[in-house]
């Protein structure tokens, strides 16, 4: 449109001039015709002298010349624009090739010592993939070019090279956090985009790993070097490693088929959402196309311990990471008494694990909590009391209804003063009182934090912004059945990380999954749960006599994995088949709860289910909650789990 206006401005004077000439010729013709007699022959009635060029021919000639000139001018303008456009495109392309050439030159100029360990040191096949919610998920294609964790250390000869030169300045997929959610997202991205380049940035010194064994199987290992190898045997005797295989960050851009690189010991301290880039704690900037925030959380501590001073804090462990496991393992072998504050999942698991060790070493293990029994906020009172007795049999001294008033250090001993006057002396404290979601990036990124549950608020596709997703403990999502929630369990980290990875590659899927969680009090007692399991809700329990196969150890032998969310699939729950045996009776709160199902009700609708020593039935429980129906007789519902079949 602009070009047409420009051409018209050039042609307008010519058009007006030709129009003026035409009008003048018409006037002359009229005057001339007026002087000619009416009897003149028709052959001489012309607008001009006979045999000459008339005014009409002059007008046509002028108009044609103007049109021709305008066409030539328009052609030259269009041709010039095309030429300038092509020059601009060529300039951009040459700039890209120049940048790529410089990048290749930089990569080639690095000492070959960096690449040598990666291509040569592959001492064993890749272990079974860690936290994945479905065994059918395709393995990460980067496994073929990945190297074991031992080869990711930089050779001594390269220490003088600045660290920032090894960090890619841009990555298509940036994952912040090195936990289960990031691992699941990276695997999902690579499954949908085999050539993807994924960079994981974690402030931990270790590669991404599975957290559940830190409070479970690792404590039952007979290997004295378990804190170094981090290899353990599951309840079924199968050996696994905490780590997986990755490539180094400096290899990411040069990897022919892409891959998953991990940048350890680096913390993202600032996010520029508009500029699509982040800043690390060493001022290095990394730009991205799509980003996942999977920062997890940090362990909570008691305020009375924080206010007690450095001497008390030095004798306190906040259990969360590999370093915490290593530290607590070392401490527990060199002290006489240890006290675990907290009666939830983590506190009870650590109490049972350390209690087993106390039988051999003489270590005094104390567990205290404000509830009446173990996991009192989750289990109904009768089952909580039974669990407490189970923990006591493991060699743990239980102090219930304990509210800590103060903690002091005297004569190299910690003195825990309770509000009811009781005094507990111990050598070390483990605070297992919950998790605080890590939302440090919310302020710089301008992301919303949920005021009720904490964590980043995300939509049904786990998006916080158009190119930013959140998964794992730090995500506050909307549950279509149970409302807005934030979940701090392994299975949720697996599923939310996998879904976020799929959506980062364009899947646009909503989060419909009901995540589960599990806890093992050693190899003989374990449970799986789903939905809202709150002891303040009305509950109905249906129990049966347990057999030798109704233990976590037996379940692991059957499924082949101790990470039980790996063996769970929703498809198996589409058509549950009820047992043909007579309906069981509702439990009469006896002293022996071998195995069973506990239903949690809200407005007569099942909103939570615990499977007590009942394994590989979680898809059925998930479907019951998803249906959201009222049930007149929960005995009939319990038949779906076949708990009375041997």
């Amino acid at each position: 449109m602009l070009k047409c206006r420009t051409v018209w401005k050039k042609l307008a004077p010519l058009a007006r001039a030709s129009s003026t000439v035409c009008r003048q010729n018409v006037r002359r013709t009229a005057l001339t015709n007026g002087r000619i007699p009416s009897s003149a022959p028709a052959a001489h009635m012309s607008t001009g002298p006979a045999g000459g060029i008339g005014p009409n021919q002059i007008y046509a000639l002028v108009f044609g010349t103007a049109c021709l000139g305008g066409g030539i001018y328009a052609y030259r303008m269009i041709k010039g624009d095309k030429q300038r456009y092509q020059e601009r495109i060529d300039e951009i392309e040459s700039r890209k090739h120049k940048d790529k050439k410089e990048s290749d030159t930089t990569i080639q100029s690095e000492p070959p010592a960096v690449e040598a360990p990666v291509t040569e040191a592959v001492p064993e096949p890749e272990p079974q993939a860690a936290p994945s919610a479905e065994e059918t998920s395709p393995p990460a294609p980067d496994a073929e070019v990945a190297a074991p964790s031992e080869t990711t250390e930089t050779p001594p000869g390269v220490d003088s090279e600045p660290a920032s030169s090894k960090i890619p300045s841009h990555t298509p997929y940036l994952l912040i956090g090195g936990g289960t959610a990031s691992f699941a997202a990276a695997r999902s991205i690579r499954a949908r985009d085999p050539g993807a380049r994924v960079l994981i940035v974690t402030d931990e010194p270790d590669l991404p790993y599975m957290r559940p064994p830190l409070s479970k199987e690792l404590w039952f290992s007979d290997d004295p070097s378990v804190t170094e190898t981090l290899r353990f045997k599951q309840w079924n005797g199968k050996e696994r490693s905490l780590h997986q295989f990755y490539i180094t960050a400096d290899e990411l851009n040069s990897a022919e088929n892409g891959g998953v690189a991990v940048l350890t010991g680096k913390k993202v301290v600032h996010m520029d959402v508009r500029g699509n880039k982040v800043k690390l704690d060493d001022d290095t900037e990394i730009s991205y196309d799509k980003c996942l925030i999977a920062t997890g959380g940090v362990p909570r501590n008691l305020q009375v311990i924080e206010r007690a001073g450095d001497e008390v804090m030095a004798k306190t462990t906040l259990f969360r990471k590999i370093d915490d496991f290593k530290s607590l393992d070392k401490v527990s072998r060199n002290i006489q008494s240890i006290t675990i504050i907290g009666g939830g999942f983590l506190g009870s698991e650590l109490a049972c694990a350390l209690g087993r060790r106390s039988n051999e070493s003489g270590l005094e293990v104390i567990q205290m909590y404000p509830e009446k029994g173990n996991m009192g906020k989750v289990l109904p009172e009768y089952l909580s009391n039974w669990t407490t007795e189970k923990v006591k049999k493991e060699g743990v001294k239980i102090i219930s209804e304990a509210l800590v008033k103060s903690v002091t250090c005297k004569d190299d001993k910690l003195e825990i003063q309770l509000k009811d006057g009781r005094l507990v002396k111990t050598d070390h404290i483990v605070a297992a009182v919950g998790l605080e979601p890590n939302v440090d990036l919310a302020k710089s990124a301008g992301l919303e934090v949920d005021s009720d549950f904490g964590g980043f608020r995300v939509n049904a596709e786990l998006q916080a912004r158009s190119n930013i997703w959140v998964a794992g403990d730090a995500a506050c999502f909307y549950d279509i059945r149970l409302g807005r929630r934030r979940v701090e369990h392994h299975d949720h980290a697996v599923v939310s990380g996998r879904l976020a990875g799929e959506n980062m590659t364009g899947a646009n899927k909503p989060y419909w999954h009901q995540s589960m969680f599990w806890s093992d009090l050693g190899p003989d007692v374990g449970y799986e749960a789903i939905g809202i399991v709150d002891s303040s809700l009305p509950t109905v329990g249906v129990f049966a006599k347990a057999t030798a196969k109704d233990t976590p150890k037996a379940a692991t032998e059957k499924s082949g994995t101790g990470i039980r969310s790996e063996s769970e699939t929703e498809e198996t729950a589409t058509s549950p088949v009820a047992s043909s045996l007579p309906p069981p009776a509702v439990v009469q709160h006896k002293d022996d709860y071998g195995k069973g199902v506990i239903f949690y009700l809200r407005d007569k609708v099942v909103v939570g289910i615990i499977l007590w020593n009942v394994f590989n039935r979680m898809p059925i429980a998930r479907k019951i909650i998803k249906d959201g129906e009222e049930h007149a007789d929960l005995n009939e519902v319990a038949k779906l789990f076949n708990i009375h079949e041997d």
Side-chain angles (χ1 to χ4, degrees):
M1 181 63 72
L2 293 176
K3 292 181 180 179
C4 293
R5 288 182 179 177
T6 304
V7 173
W8 173 246
K9 288 180 181 179
K10 299 289 184 178
L11 297 179
L14 296 176
R16 285 195 295 270
S18 61
S19 178
T20 302
V21 172
C22 180
R23 287 195 299 271
Q24 291 175 352
N25 289 338
V26 170
R27 291 195 193 100
R28 275 194 218 100
T29 302
L31 292 174
T32 304
N33 289 340
R35 298 189 189 100
I36 298 174
S38 56
S39 59
H44 295 285
M45 294 186 66
S46 170
T47 56
I53 299 177
N56 288 340
Q57 286 84 352
I58 295 175
Y59 171 74
L61 180 63
V62 172
F63 184 76
T65 303
C67 291
L68 180 62
I72 294 173
Y73 180 80
Y75 171 76
R76 289 182 177 178
M77 286 289 292
I78 295 173
K79 184 178 181 181
D81 288 345
K82 287 184 176 180
Q83 184 177 358
R84 286 190 293 272
Y85 174 78
Q86 188 61 41
E87 290 175 354
R88 178 60 177 166
I89 294 298
D90 294 341
E91 180 183 355
I92 294 174
E93 290 295 330
S94 63
R95 188 183 305 168
K96 290 182 179 179
H97 290 305
K98 182 179 179 181
D99 293 342
K100 183 177 180 181
K101 183 177 180 181
E102 292 177 355
S103 176
D104 293 341
T105 304
T106 303
I107 294 172
Q108 293 173 1
S109 64
E110 293 182 357
V114 177
E115 298 181 359
V118 177
T119 57
E120 296 177 3
V122 186
E124 59 184 19
E126 181 182 6
Q128 180 179 348
S132 170
E134 296 181 5
E135 290 295 330
T136 56
S137 298
D142 57 305
E144 297 179 0
V145 297
S149 59
E150 290 82 356
T151 65
T152 58
E153 297 181 1
T154 305
V158 197
D159 288 344
S160 60
E161 187 177 353
S164 59
S165 64
K166 302 178 183 179
I167 302 175
S169 59
H170 176 80
T171 179
Y173 298 98
L174 176 65
L175 313 183
I176 304 175
T180 299
S182 280
F183 173 87
R187 191 177 182 190
S188 179
I189 291 171
R190 294 277 297 169
R192 288 177 53 88
D193 183 2
R197 288 175 168 81
V198 183
L199 177 63
I200 298 176
V201 179
T202 173
D203 58 354
E204 293 191 50
D206 303 287
L207 297 173
Y209 56 89
M210 301 177 289
R211 295 194 192 276
L214 291 178
S215 60
K216 297 179 176 68
E217 292 95 336
L218 281 172
W219 289 98
F220 295 86
S221 175
D222 297 328
D223 184 3
S225 62
V226 65
T227 56
E228 301 300 327
T229 63
L230 296 176
R231 299 193 67 86
F232 60 94
K233 290 184 178 180
Q234 300 177 138
W235 304 134
N236 63 352
K238 182 179 179 181
E239 188 176 84
R240 294 190 66 175
S241 172
L242 217 61
H243 287 303
Q244 302 300 313
F245 295 155
Y246 304 91
I247 63 176
T248 56
D250 57 311
E251 296 176 298
L252 187 60
N253 288 334
S254 60
E256 182 179 356
N257 297 317
V260 180
V262 182
L263 189 61
T264 59
K266 299 293 183 181
K267 184 177 181 180
V268 176
V269 296
H270 185 272
M271 284 192 71
D272 181 359
V273 175
R274 293 186 177 181
N276 288 351
K277 60 184 179 180
V278 300
K279 180 184 290 186
L280 307 183
D281 50 4
D282 61 357
D283 291 332
T284 301
E285 290 189 348
I286 302 175
S287 61
Y288 60 85
D289 295 332
K290 297 178 181 180
C291 177
L292 172 70
I293 300 176
T295 48
V298 294
R300 290 193 183 102
N301 196 1
L302 296 177
Q303 291 186 358
V304 293
I305 295 179
E306 293 177 341
R307 294 195 299 261
D310 295 338
E311 196 172 7
V312 173
M313 284 297 298
K315 295 178 179 294
T316 301
T317 295
L318 303 179
F319 197 88
R320 174 70 173 173
K321 303 177 180 179
I322 288 179
D323 287 343
D324 302 327
F325 165 73
K326 293 181 177 180
S327 173
L328 187 59
D329 178 77
K330 182 178 180 180
V331 167
S332 65
R333 297 180 186 275
N334 296 281
I335 58 176
Q336 296 178 345
S337 174
I338 189 169
T339 298
I340 301 168
I341 302 178
F345 308 108
L346 178 61
S348 298
E349 289 174 359
L350 288 176
C352 286
L354 291 170
R356 285 282 183 99
R357 179 172 293 182
S358 69
N359 296 328
E360 302 174 358
S361 62
L363 174 68
E364 181 187 33
V365 180
I366 303 171
Q367 184 185 15
M368 61 172 61
Y369 41 76
E371 298 81 25
K372 292 183 179 181
N374 282 76
M375 290 174 286
K377 292 183 178 180
V378 176
L379 301 177
E381 185 176 354
Y382 63 89
L383 199 54
S384 174
N385 293 336
W386 186 91
T387 304
T388 302
E389 295 301 318
K390 166 64 178 175
V391 176
K392 287 181 179 179
K393 291 179 181 179
E394 295 291 341
V396 181
K397 180 182 178 181
I398 300 295
I399 302 178
S400 59
E401 299 180 277
L403 297 174
V404 180
K405 181 180 181 180
S406 64
V407 181
T408 57
C409 186
K410 293 182 180 180
D411 300 328
D412 204 33
K413 282 274 189 178
L414 295 178
E415 293 188 355
I416 305 174
Q417 183 70 49
L418 303 182
K419 290 186 177 181
D420 59 4
R422 287 177 289 180
L423 181 66
V424 179
K425 294 184 179 182
T426 188
D427 294 319
H428 197 83
I429 291 176
V430 179
V433 292
L435 193 73
E436 191 71 29
N438 185 350
V439 292
D440 292 344
L441 293 174
K443 185 175 181 180
S444 63
L447 302 178
E448 183 181 3
V449 176
D450 189 87
S451 58
D452 296 326
F453 300 97
F456 299 93
R457 286 179 68 98
V458 295
N459 62 13
E461 297 175 5
L462 301 181
Q463 275 185 305
R465 291 288 181 89
S466 59
N467 61 340
I468 297 178
W469 287 258
V470 186
D473 299 340
C476 181
F477 63 100
Y478 183 76
D479 190 314
I480 60 173
R481 289 296 179 190
L482 307 176
R484 186 161 288 277
R485 305 171 63 199
R486 190 178 64 82
V487 180
E488 299 175 358
H489 295 294
H490 176 82
D491 184 58
H492 168 70
V494 173
V495 176
S496 62
R498 186 179 63 218
L499 178 64
E502 291 178 354
N503 288 340
M504 290 173 76
T505 56
N508 299 322
K509 294 181 179 179
Y511 190 5
W512 299 97
H513 182 81
Q514 278 291 339
S515 62
M516 57 86 71
F517 61 92
W518 79 97
S519 180
D520 294 336
L521 303 179
D524 300 324
V525 176
Y527 62 88
E528 300 175 354
I530 190 172
I532 299 177
V533 286
D534 188 338
S535 60
S536 63
L537 294 173
T539 62
V540 174
V542 181
F543 290 82
K545 184 178 180 180
T547 63
K549 67 178 182 180
D550 299 317
T551 63
K553 181 178 180 180
T556 304
E557 291 174 348
K558 182 178 180 180
S559 64
T561 175
I563 308 297
R564 290 203 285 276
S565 62
E566 292 183 0
S567 62
E568 304 293 349
T569 56
E570 294 186 20
E571 288 75 12
T572 59
T574 54
S575 301
V577 179
S579 172
S580 59
L581 297 176
V586 178
V587 68
Q588 298 299 319
H589 297 179
K590 298 178 181 179
D591 294 333
D592 186 18
Y593 306 103
K595 65 176 179 179
V597 183
I598 302 99
F599 300 98
Y600 291 74
L601 307 176
R602 187 170 63 188
D603 298 329
K604 299 182 181 181
V605 175
V606 177
V607 295
I609 297 175
I610 284 183
L611 304 181
W612 188 262
N613 270 345
V614 176
F615 307 101
N616 299 320
R617 297 287 190 277
M618 190 51 64
I620 301 174
R622 183 174 287 117
K623 186 176 188 302
I624 292 172
I625 293 180
K626 184 178 180 180
D627 291 342
E629 300 175 354
E630 290 188 22
H631 298 279
D633 187 359
L634 288 174
N635 288 304
E636 292 296 322
V637 181
K639 292 171 62 177
L640 298 175
F641 296 93
N642 299 335
I643 63 173
H644 282 261
E645 289 187 355
D646 294 334

